[in-house]
Amino acid sequence: MPAQPAPPRYPVAVVGIGADGWPGLSGPARAALAEAEVLIGGARQLGLLPPECAGARVAWPSPLRPAVPRLLAEHGERRIAVLASGDPMFYGIGRALAEELGARRLRVVPHPSSLSYACARLGWPLETTEVVTLVGRPVSRLAAALHEGRRLLVLSADADTPATVAALLTDHGFGPSRLRVLEQLGGEAETCAQGTAETWRRPPGDRLNVIAVECRARPDTPRLGLLPGLPDEAYEHDGQLTKRHVRAATLAALAPAPGELLWDVGGGSGSIAIEWMRAHPTCRAVSVEQHPERAARIARNAERLGVPALEAVTGKAPAALTALAARESPDAVFVGGGLTAPGLLDACWEALRPGGRLVANTVTLESEALLGERHRAYGGELVRLAVAHAVPVGGFTGWRQAMPVTQWSVRKPVGAQADRDDTYKGDDA
């Protein structure tokens, strides 16, 4: 195993700088830059510094993240200052440096972020304004944040981002939304252009821009709420779809929390994994589907509904779970199909993190019997979900019953109880 490079001899100064450059910096920020023997930053940021910052200037290479440890080690015997745009700890280089060195070896001198400037210009309270970054991320992730009346600030990747955002808003039924593009915030060249998404024709401007969106939907735009149970019509599917009311109950049992990972085994149309990820921006999911055309459909649904980071794996469980288990244990597992496949439930249970949740749904008697066995062995909750819809019956109205769904949900014990319970191996055949 190669030796780890020694940490820098001195604490690394991380200095935020805005479009106003050197004149906009505080005394401590100027002092940190003037004292540095090595100045690391983007070429544009380095160009904002005056001659009295005499340290050697090193521009970040691309890609940036892999270069961080190398540059820190290369200049570790000298005083280093790293330049960042605005607040270094807000979608900035400060995170990578903290992960590499630890907070104690950093001295962070923040500058107002572009978001703070934008809210100051717009009169928007920052704490109630949602922020979506598109820097190094697909524009489709913005779709999950679109709600009538919502105010959004979008961090642009480049000068073309405003037009791309306008097109996405229009495509998702939010064409009447008001857009304001604020460029070079805090600098002498600061400007603001405005219009609506559906009429946006402005050519690309400055690459340093923030987009303010006041969401307005067309009257015929389907409503996609925050809670699980999106309309079935929101999904492209071939009939393999966990229906709306059962889906809401399933997500309630899975209980997503920020940062957690879900395995959606037998993904179908991906609805469970998609709504798990829509619960919080940091939720993650892998959808395992053996049919390639369905796996492709899952990816399209995820893109359309604002969670393009959903990983769709084409493969048959339980074999397809081996590589996933080696990578990371899931916090929750949903099994929506293939319950009778030999070893499937055992593989899911063994991979599940202690304290994690497993939820399985079925409509067949064979799989229901299997869930009954597991319920007796592991405990948890076994419920039957029955939904009926009102439909025309001649000139009257009656109920049409959907197939009832049997659902088993269980939490994997922690510690000694987990060791004792894991000795059970049921018959999956």
Side-chain angles (χ1 to χ4, degrees):
M1 183 175 180
Q4 295 296 315
R9 181 177 179 183
Y10 306 99
V12 173
V14 190
V15 180
I17 190 168
D20 49 358
W22 183 258
L25 294 180
S26 65
R30 293 185 181 189
L33 294 173
E35 294 168 0
E37 298 171 275
V38 178
L39 297 157
I40 304 176
R44 180 190 61 82
Q45 296 162 339
L46 293 170
L48 296 173
L49 301 183
E52 51 259 46
C53 295
R57 303 190 182 196
V58 179
W60 287 115
S62 181
L64 184 153
R65 186 61 179 89
V68 170
R70 177 179 61 80
L71 287 178
L72 292 177
E74 184 177 333
H75 302 287
E77 291 299 313
R78 296 192 283 178
R79 296 184 183 277
I80 299 173
V82 176
L83 288 165
S85 295
D87 185 343
M89 304 308 297
F90 189 77
Y91 292 111
I93 189 61
R95 173 179 175 176
L97 294 171
E99 291 173 351
E100 190 68 32
L101 299 175
R104 292 187 177 182
R105 301 199 61 81
L106 298 182
R107 181 161 62 93
V108 180
V109 186
H111 186 276
S113 70
S114 58
L115 284 308
S116 294
Y117 276 120
C119 284
R121 302 294 187 264
L122 299 166
W124 291 2
L126 184 56
E127 71 274 11
T128 60
T129 301
E130 186 169 355
V131 178
V132 179
T133 180
L134 299 182
V135 180
R137 297 166 175 84
V139 70
S140 56
R141 69 193 305 268
L142 180 61
L146 300 181
H147 302 282
E148 176 66 32
R150 189 72 168 141
R151 289 172 170 174
L152 309 175
L153 287 177
V154 181
L155 296 175
S156 284
D158 52 36
D160 295 321
T161 304
T164 305
V165 166
L168 180 137
L169 289 166
T170 303
D171 182 54
H172 282 73
F174 282 80
S177 299
R178 182 184 183 188
L179 300 187
R180 280 177 278 187
V181 179
L182 302 102
E183 300 175 348
Q184 288 284 336
L185 280 161
E188 293 182 357
E190 180 178 318
T191 61
C192 177
Q194 56 184 307
T196 64
E198 59 195 1
T199 61
W200 193 263
R201 300 293 183 272
R202 182 174 181 259
D206 195 279
R207 62 178 299 273
L208 290 180
N209 70 83
V210 173
I211 308 166
V213 182
E214 294 178 74
C215 294
R216 295 288 181 269
R218 293 195 305 262
D220 59 345
T221 299
R223 181 180 176 85
L224 302 182
L226 287 172
L227 296 179
L230 298 183
D232 293 345
E233 295 74 24
Y235 293 94
E236 176 191 347
H237 65 90
D238 61 358
Q240 292 297 311
L241 174 72
T242 302
K243 299 300 191 291
R244 181 179 193 176
H245 300 91
V246 174
R247 192 184 329 129
T250 301
L251 266 296
L254 288 167
E260 289 190 329
L261 171 67
L262 169 75
W263 284 3
D264 177 16
V265 181
S269 301
S271 62
I272 295 295
I274 288 169
E275 295 189 29
W276 167 279
M277 292 184 67
R278 282 175 60 94
H280 193 271
T282 62
C283 284
R284 299 167 296 136
V286 179
S287 190
V288 180
E289 172 55 55
Q290 64 175 316
H291 300 289
E293 68 275 13
R294 287 179 182 162
R297 188 179 293 117
I298 289 169
R300 292 195 297 272
N301 281 329
E303 181 89 7
R304 179 71 184 175
L305 292 169
V307 288
L310 170 61
E311 182 180 355
V313 172
T314 303
K316 188 173 183 179
L321 305 180
T322 303
L324 296 179
R327 193 171 70 188
E328 182 179 2
S329 297
D331 299 284
V333 176
F334 171 65
V335 183
L339 274 169
T340 57
L344 175 58
L345 274 179
D346 288 333
C348 292
W349 184 255
E350 290 168 8
L352 187 64
R353 189 185 306 276
R357 291 87 61 204
L358 187 149
V359 178
N361 290 356
T362 187
V363 296
T364 70
L365 293 175
E366 292 78 7
S367 293
E368 184 179 84
L370 177 61
L371 295 185
E373 291 178 8
R374 294 308 173 95
H375 176 250
R376 288 191 295 274
Y378 291 126
E381 188 175 23
L382 192 64
V383 300
R384 176 167 287 179
L385 306 172
V387 178
H389 297 272
V391 296
V393 180
F396 299 93
T397 304
W399 293 107
R400 176 171 293 165
Q401 186 78 37
M403 291 184 70
V405 175
T406 299
Q407 180 181 93
W408 176 51
S409 59
V410 63
R411 180 176 181 267
K412 188 173 183 177
V414 178
Q417 184 65 35
D419 295 336
R420 185 161 60 252
D421 287 350
D422 278 351
T423 60
Y424 171 80
K425 298 295 182 183
D427 181 10
D428 280 345

